[in-house]
Amino acid sequence: QITLVESGGGSVESGGSLRLSCVASGLNVGRLDVGWFRQVPGKERQGVSCIGATRVTNYADSMMGRFTIDRDSAKNTVYLQMNSLQAADTRLYYCAARPWDSAHCLDSNTYRAWGQGTQVTVST
């Protein structure tokens, strides 16, 4: 069983930065696809970024150039560095994991293990 715990959320001003962490247990992140998703309560979950077991990365268009995903297999952790944050980035951010899958890694329907989420709030 894979367990995920997110941290690193908080409140920042527009233009600021945050780094989210997703610590996994139960299986090493080097053997998993791990994705970051975000959601406003009552709205559809949105894919942010993902890193495959092969280290291939993907980003949603609006995050390209601002967000960077990386992992540290020794710490069993996946990071999401978020720069140039905007008010529109205010969401609850989740990480999710799945065994390697050929389906696009930003497809939230293909993930079964989810963390509890960490809130990111960007003020203008």
PDB file of all heavy atoms in Angstrom, residues 6 10 14-16 20 27-28 34 37 39 54 62 66 70-72 82 91 95 100 102 104 107 113 117:
ATOM      1  N   GLU A   6       1.748  15.212   1.820  1.00  0.00           N
ATOM      2  CA  GLU A   6       2.203  16.474   1.233  1.00  0.00           C
ATOM      3  C   GLU A   6       2.537  17.482   2.330  1.00  0.00           C
ATOM      4  O   GLU A   6       1.958  17.443   3.422  1.00  0.00           O
ATOM      5  CB  GLU A   6       1.128  17.092   0.329  1.00  0.00           C
ATOM      6  CG  GLU A   6       0.623  16.236  -0.795  1.00  0.00           C
ATOM      7  CD  GLU A   6      -0.674  15.548  -0.447  1.00  0.00           C
ATOM      8  OE1 GLU A   6      -0.911  15.314   0.768  1.00  0.00           O
ATOM      9  OE2 GLU A   6      -1.457  15.231  -1.360  1.00  0.00           O
ATOM     10  N   GLY A  10       1.196  27.014   1.856  1.00  0.00           N
ATOM     11  CA  GLY A  10       1.150  28.190   2.713  1.00  0.00           C
ATOM     12  C   GLY A  10       0.595  29.383   1.968  1.00  0.00           C
ATOM     13  O   GLY A  10      -0.006  29.230   0.896  1.00  0.00           O
ATOM     14  N   SER A  14       1.591  37.452  -4.529  1.00  0.00           N
ATOM     15  CA  SER A  14       1.738  37.237  -5.961  1.00  0.00           C
ATOM     16  C   SER A  14       3.188  37.470  -6.387  1.00  0.00           C
ATOM     17  O   SER A  14       3.816  38.435  -5.951  1.00  0.00           O
ATOM     18  CB  SER A  14       0.818  38.195  -6.719  1.00  0.00           C
ATOM     19  OG  SER A  14       0.927  38.016  -8.102  1.00  0.00           O
ATOM     20  N   GLY A  15       3.699  36.558  -7.191  1.00  0.00           N
ATOM     21  CA  GLY A  15       5.093  36.610  -7.612  1.00  0.00           C
ATOM     22  C   GLY A  15       6.024  35.795  -6.745  1.00  0.00           C
ATOM     23  O   GLY A  15       7.200  35.602  -7.098  1.00  0.00           O
ATOM     24  N   GLY A  16       5.520  35.304  -5.628  1.00  0.00           N
ATOM     25  CA  GLY A  16       6.335  34.532  -4.710  1.00  0.00           C
ATOM     26  C   GLY A  16       6.501  33.083  -5.131  1.00  0.00           C
ATOM     27  O   GLY A  16       6.006  32.653  -6.182  1.00  0.00           O
ATOM     28  N   LEU A  20       6.553  22.470  -2.732  1.00  0.00           N
ATOM     29  CA  LEU A  20       5.758  21.412  -2.138  1.00  0.00           C
ATOM     30  C   LEU A  20       6.552  20.116  -2.130  1.00  0.00           C
ATOM     31  O   LEU A  20       7.332  19.849  -3.049  1.00  0.00           O
ATOM     32  CB  LEU A  20       4.461  21.207  -2.920  1.00  0.00           C
ATOM     33  CG  LEU A  20       3.574  22.446  -3.126  1.00  0.00           C
ATOM     34  CD1 LEU A  20       2.292  22.035  -3.842  1.00  0.00           C
ATOM     35  CD2 LEU A  20       3.291  23.143  -1.827  1.00  0.00           C
ATOM     36  N   LEU A  27       6.423   2.126  -1.250  1.00  0.00           N
ATOM     37  CA  LEU A  27       7.100   1.808  -2.502  1.00  0.00           C
ATOM     38  C   LEU A  27       7.976   3.007  -2.843  1.00  0.00           C
ATOM     39  O   LEU A  27       7.618   4.144  -2.554  1.00  0.00           O
ATOM     40  CB  LEU A  27       6.096   1.547  -3.620  1.00  0.00           C
ATOM     41  CG  LEU A  27       6.568   0.721  -4.816  1.00  0.00           C
ATOM     42  CD1 LEU A  27       6.971  -0.684  -4.351  1.00  0.00           C
ATOM     43  CD2 LEU A  27       5.469   0.613  -5.861  1.00  0.00           C
ATOM     44  N   ASN A  28       9.105   2.745  -3.463  1.00  0.00           N
ATOM     45  CA  ASN A  28      10.009   3.844  -3.784  1.00  0.00           C
ATOM     46  C   ASN A  28       9.494   4.664  -4.962  1.00  0.00           C
ATOM     47  O   ASN A  28       8.997   4.101  -5.949  1.00  0.00           O
ATOM     48  CB  ASN A  28      11.409   3.316  -4.083  1.00  0.00           C
ATOM     49  CG  ASN A  28      12.430   4.450  -4.138  1.00  0.00           C
ATOM     50  OD1 ASN A  28      12.632   5.058  -5.183  1.00  0.00           O
ATOM     51  ND2 ASN A  28      13.036   4.747  -3.002  1.00  0.00           N
ATOM     52  N   VAL A  34       4.409   9.785 -10.368  1.00  0.00           N
ATOM     53  CA  VAL A  34       3.857  10.645  -9.327  1.00  0.00           C
ATOM     54  C   VAL A  34       3.378  11.940  -9.960  1.00  0.00           C
ATOM     55  O   VAL A  34       4.106  12.562 -10.741  1.00  0.00           O
ATOM     56  CB  VAL A  34       4.906  10.957  -8.235  1.00  0.00           C
ATOM     57  CG1 VAL A  34       4.324  11.913  -7.189  1.00  0.00           C
ATOM     58  CG2 VAL A  34       5.371   9.668  -7.569  1.00  0.00           C
ATOM     59  N   PHE A  37      -1.695  17.445  -8.525  1.00  0.00           N
ATOM     60  CA  PHE A  37      -2.984  17.907  -9.010  1.00  0.00           C
ATOM     61  C   PHE A  37      -3.471  19.002  -8.070  1.00  0.00           C
ATOM     62  O   PHE A  37      -3.019  19.097  -6.937  1.00  0.00           O
ATOM     63  CB  PHE A  37      -3.986  16.747  -9.060  1.00  0.00           C
ATOM     64  CG  PHE A  37      -3.546  15.638  -9.975  1.00  0.00           C
ATOM     65  CD1 PHE A  37      -2.688  14.643  -9.519  1.00  0.00           C
ATOM     66  CD2 PHE A  37      -3.976  15.596 -11.296  1.00  0.00           C
ATOM     67  CE1 PHE A  37      -2.264  13.623 -10.369  1.00  0.00           C
ATOM     68  CE2 PHE A  37      -3.557  14.586 -12.153  1.00  0.00           C
ATOM     69  CZ  PHE A  37      -2.704  13.604 -11.680  1.00  0.00           C
ATOM     70  N   GLN A  39      -7.082  21.525  -6.877  1.00  0.00           N
ATOM     71  CA  GLN A  39      -8.539  21.553  -6.931  1.00  0.00           C
ATOM     72  C   GLN A  39      -9.102  22.665  -6.058  1.00  0.00           C
ATOM     73  O   GLN A  39      -8.590  22.920  -4.965  1.00  0.00           O
ATOM     74  CB  GLN A  39      -9.099  20.196  -6.464  1.00  0.00           C
ATOM     75  CG  GLN A  39     -10.571  20.015  -6.629  1.00  0.00           C
ATOM     76  CD  GLN A  39     -10.989  18.589  -6.259  1.00  0.00           C
ATOM     77  OE1 GLN A  39     -10.345  17.921  -5.462  1.00  0.00           O
ATOM     78  NE2 GLN A  39     -12.088  18.137  -6.852  1.00  0.00           N
ATOM     79  N   THR A  54      10.282   6.663 -15.324  1.00  0.00           N
ATOM     80  CA  THR A  54      11.444   6.833 -16.207  1.00  0.00           C
ATOM     81  C   THR A  54      12.007   8.247 -16.156  1.00  0.00           C
ATOM     82  O   THR A  54      12.900   8.584 -16.926  1.00  0.00           O
ATOM     83  CB  THR A  54      11.045   6.523 -17.662  1.00  0.00           C
ATOM     84  OG1 THR A  54       9.967   7.398 -18.031  1.00  0.00           O
ATOM     85  CG2 THR A  54      10.577   5.079 -17.801  1.00  0.00           C
ATOM     86  N   SER A  62      -0.359  26.028 -18.398  1.00  0.00           N
ATOM     87  CA  SER A  62      -0.283  27.263 -17.602  1.00  0.00           C
ATOM     88  C   SER A  62       0.824  27.217 -16.553  1.00  0.00           C
ATOM     89  O   SER A  62       1.160  28.239 -15.958  1.00  0.00           O
ATOM     90  CB  SER A  62      -1.624  27.543 -16.940  1.00  0.00           C
ATOM     91  OG  SER A  62      -1.971  26.496 -16.064  1.00  0.00           O
ATOM     92  N   ARG A  66       7.034  27.925 -15.053  1.00  0.00           N
ATOM     93  CA  ARG A  66       6.911  28.460 -13.693  1.00  0.00           C
ATOM     94  C   ARG A  66       7.124  27.375 -12.646  1.00  0.00           C
ATOM     95  O   ARG A  66       7.641  27.633 -11.571  1.00  0.00           O
ATOM     96  CB  ARG A  66       5.536  29.087 -13.478  1.00  0.00           C
ATOM     97  CG  ARG A  66       5.221  30.247 -14.391  1.00  0.00           C
ATOM     98  CD  ARG A  66       3.966  30.970 -13.930  1.00  0.00           C
ATOM     99  NE  ARG A  66       2.779  30.116 -13.927  1.00  0.00           N
ATOM    100  CZ  ARG A  66       1.975  29.955 -12.878  1.00  0.00           C
ATOM    101  NH1 ARG A  66       2.233  30.575 -11.732  1.00  0.00           N
ATOM    102  NH2 ARG A  66       0.901  29.172 -12.983  1.00  0.00           N
ATOM    103  N   ASP A  70      10.512  17.413  -9.513  1.00  0.00           N
ATOM    104  CA  ASP A  70      11.734  16.620  -9.405  1.00  0.00           C
ATOM    105  C   ASP A  70      11.523  15.594  -8.289  1.00  0.00           C
ATOM    106  O   ASP A  70      10.569  15.695  -7.509  1.00  0.00           O
ATOM    107  CB  ASP A  70      12.937  17.507  -9.086  1.00  0.00           C
ATOM    108  CG  ASP A  70      14.257  16.833  -9.422  1.00  0.00           C
ATOM    109  OD1 ASP A  70      14.240  15.668  -9.929  1.00  0.00           O
ATOM    110  OD2 ASP A  70      15.310  17.443  -9.189  1.00  0.00           O
ATOM    111  N   ARG A  71      12.405  14.632  -8.229  1.00  0.00           N
ATOM    112  CA  ARG A  71      12.273  13.646  -7.158  1.00  0.00           C
ATOM    113  C   ARG A  71      13.655  13.305  -6.595  1.00  0.00           C
ATOM    114  O   ARG A  71      14.665  13.428  -7.268  1.00  0.00           O
ATOM    115  CB  ARG A  71      11.584  12.381  -7.662  1.00  0.00           C
ATOM    116  CG  ARG A  71      12.453  11.487  -8.540  1.00  0.00           C
ATOM    117  CD  ARG A  71      11.694  10.254  -8.990  1.00  0.00           C
ATOM    118  NE  ARG A  71      12.575   9.368  -9.743  1.00  0.00           N
ATOM    119  CZ  ARG A  71      12.162   8.637 -10.769  1.00  0.00           C
ATOM    120  NH1 ARG A  71      10.899   8.684 -11.156  1.00  0.00           N
ATOM    121  NH2 ARG A  71      13.012   7.865 -11.393  1.00  0.00           N
ATOM    122  N   ASP A  72      13.629  12.868  -5.356  1.00  0.00           N
ATOM    123  CA  ASP A  72      14.827  12.385  -4.653  1.00  0.00           C
ATOM    124  C   ASP A  72      14.497  10.985  -4.171  1.00  0.00           C
ATOM    125  O   ASP A  72      13.793  10.810  -3.172  1.00  0.00           O
ATOM    126  CB  ASP A  72      15.167  13.320  -3.494  1.00  0.00           C
ATOM    127  CG  ASP A  72      16.453  12.941  -2.800  1.00  0.00           C
ATOM    128  OD1 ASP A  72      16.830  11.745  -2.854  1.00  0.00           O
ATOM    129  OD2 ASP A  72      17.074  13.814  -2.181  1.00  0.00           O
ATOM    130  N   MET A  82       7.367  25.876  -7.190  1.00  0.00           N
ATOM    131  CA  MET A  82       6.412  26.763  -7.841  1.00  0.00           C
ATOM    132  C   MET A  82       6.911  28.196  -7.732  1.00  0.00           C
ATOM    133  O   MET A  82       7.042  28.723  -6.618  1.00  0.00           O
ATOM    134  CB  MET A  82       5.027  26.635  -7.195  1.00  0.00           C
ATOM    135  CG  MET A  82       4.506  25.206  -7.163  1.00  0.00           C
ATOM    136  SD  MET A  82       2.800  25.106  -6.577  1.00  0.00           S
ATOM    137  CE  MET A  82       2.986  25.722  -4.917  1.00  0.00           C
ATOM    138  N   ARG A  91      -5.190  27.042  -4.632  1.00  0.00           N
ATOM    139  CA  ARG A  91      -5.885  25.760  -4.720  1.00  0.00           C
ATOM    140  C   ARG A  91      -5.415  24.870  -3.580  1.00  0.00           C
ATOM    141  O   ARG A  91      -4.412  25.145  -2.941  1.00  0.00           O
ATOM    142  CB  ARG A  91      -5.545  25.036  -6.043  1.00  0.00           C
ATOM    143  CG  ARG A  91      -5.902  25.732  -7.326  1.00  0.00           C
ATOM    144  CD  ARG A  91      -7.348  25.555  -7.683  1.00  0.00           C
ATOM    145  NE  ARG A  91      -7.637  25.966  -9.046  1.00  0.00           N
ATOM    146  CZ  ARG A  91      -7.801  27.209  -9.456  1.00  0.00           C
ATOM    147  NH1 ARG A  91      -7.674  28.205  -8.582  1.00  0.00           N
ATOM    148  NH2 ARG A  91      -8.070  27.471 -10.722  1.00  0.00           N
ATOM    149  N   CYS A  95      -0.728  15.308  -4.132  1.00  0.00           N
ATOM    150  CA  CYS A  95       0.107  14.424  -4.930  1.00  0.00           C
ATOM    151  C   CYS A  95      -0.565  13.060  -4.991  1.00  0.00           C
ATOM    152  O   CYS A  95      -1.351  12.694  -4.115  1.00  0.00           O
ATOM    153  CB  CYS A  95       1.531  14.327  -4.396  1.00  0.00           C
ATOM    154  SG  CYS A  95       1.708  13.499  -2.816  1.00  0.00           S
ATOM    155  N   TRP A 100       4.033   2.444 -12.731  1.00  0.00           N
ATOM    156  CA  TRP A 100       4.235   2.970 -14.081  1.00  0.00           C
ATOM    157  C   TRP A 100       3.087   2.549 -14.982  1.00  0.00           C
ATOM    158  O   TRP A 100       2.652   1.396 -14.973  1.00  0.00           O
ATOM    159  CB  TRP A 100       5.551   2.459 -14.674  1.00  0.00           C
ATOM    160  CG  TRP A 100       5.737   2.972 -16.068  1.00  0.00           C
ATOM    161  CD1 TRP A 100       6.275   4.167 -16.436  1.00  0.00           C
ATOM    162  CD2 TRP A 100       5.336   2.320 -17.288  1.00  0.00           C
ATOM    163  NE1 TRP A 100       6.244   4.298 -17.814  1.00  0.00           N
ATOM    164  CE2 TRP A 100       5.673   3.188 -18.354  1.00  0.00           C
ATOM    165  CE3 TRP A 100       4.731   1.106 -17.565  1.00  0.00           C
ATOM    166  CZ2 TRP A 100       5.422   2.864 -19.674  1.00  0.00           C
ATOM    167  CZ3 TRP A 100       4.480   0.779 -18.897  1.00  0.00           C
ATOM    168  CH2 TRP A 100       4.829   1.655 -19.920  1.00  0.00           C
ATOM    169  N   SER A 102       1.246   3.438 -19.035  1.00  0.00           N
ATOM    170  CA  SER A 102       1.437   4.094 -20.331  1.00  0.00           C
ATOM    171  C   SER A 102       0.463   5.237 -20.547  1.00  0.00           C
ATOM    172  O   SER A 102       0.654   6.055 -21.452  1.00  0.00           O
ATOM    173  CB  SER A 102       1.294   3.076 -21.469  1.00  0.00           C
ATOM    174  OG  SER A 102       0.008   2.482 -21.441  1.00  0.00           O
ATOM    175  N   HIS A 104      -1.327   8.815 -20.015  1.00  0.00           N
ATOM    176  CA  HIS A 104      -0.719  10.105 -19.701  1.00  0.00           C
ATOM    177  C   HIS A 104      -0.699  10.312 -18.196  1.00  0.00           C
ATOM    178  O   HIS A 104      -1.701  10.075 -17.517  1.00  0.00           O
ATOM    179  CB  HIS A 104      -1.492  11.235 -20.387  1.00  0.00           C
ATOM    180  CG  HIS A 104      -0.723  12.499 -20.468  1.00  0.00           C
ATOM    181  ND1 HIS A 104      -0.460  13.281 -19.359  1.00  0.00           N
ATOM    182  CD2 HIS A 104      -0.133  13.135 -21.502  1.00  0.00           C
ATOM    183  CE1 HIS A 104       0.247  14.330 -19.720  1.00  0.00           C
ATOM    184  NE2 HIS A 104       0.467  14.271 -21.021  1.00  0.00           N
ATOM    185  N   ASP A 107      -3.435  12.282 -16.163  1.00  0.00           N
ATOM    186  CA  ASP A 107      -4.800  11.765 -16.104  1.00  0.00           C
ATOM    187  C   ASP A 107      -5.088  11.316 -14.684  1.00  0.00           C
ATOM    188  O   ASP A 107      -4.664  10.235 -14.265  1.00  0.00           O
ATOM    189  CB  ASP A 107      -4.958  10.611 -17.086  1.00  0.00           C
ATOM    190  CG  ASP A 107      -6.373  10.050 -17.116  1.00  0.00           C
ATOM    191  OD1 ASP A 107      -7.212  10.479 -16.308  1.00  0.00           O
ATOM    192  OD2 ASP A 107      -6.639   9.178 -17.962  1.00  0.00           O
ATOM    193  N   ALA A 113      -3.594   6.088  -5.379  1.00  0.00           N
ATOM    194  CA  ALA A 113      -3.057   6.532  -4.094  1.00  0.00           C
ATOM    195  C   ALA A 113      -2.978   8.050  -4.100  1.00  0.00           C
ATOM    196  O   ALA A 113      -2.368   8.633  -5.011  1.00  0.00           O
ATOM    197  CB  ALA A 113      -1.668   5.943  -3.858  1.00  0.00           C
ATOM    198  N   GLY A 117      -3.513  16.452   0.799  1.00  0.00           N
ATOM    199  CA  GLY A 117      -3.529  17.783   0.208  1.00  0.00           C
ATOM    200  C   GLY A 117      -2.847  18.818   1.074  1.00  0.00           C
ATOM    201  O   GLY A 117      -2.775  18.683   2.300  1.00  0.00           O
TER     202      GLY A 117
END
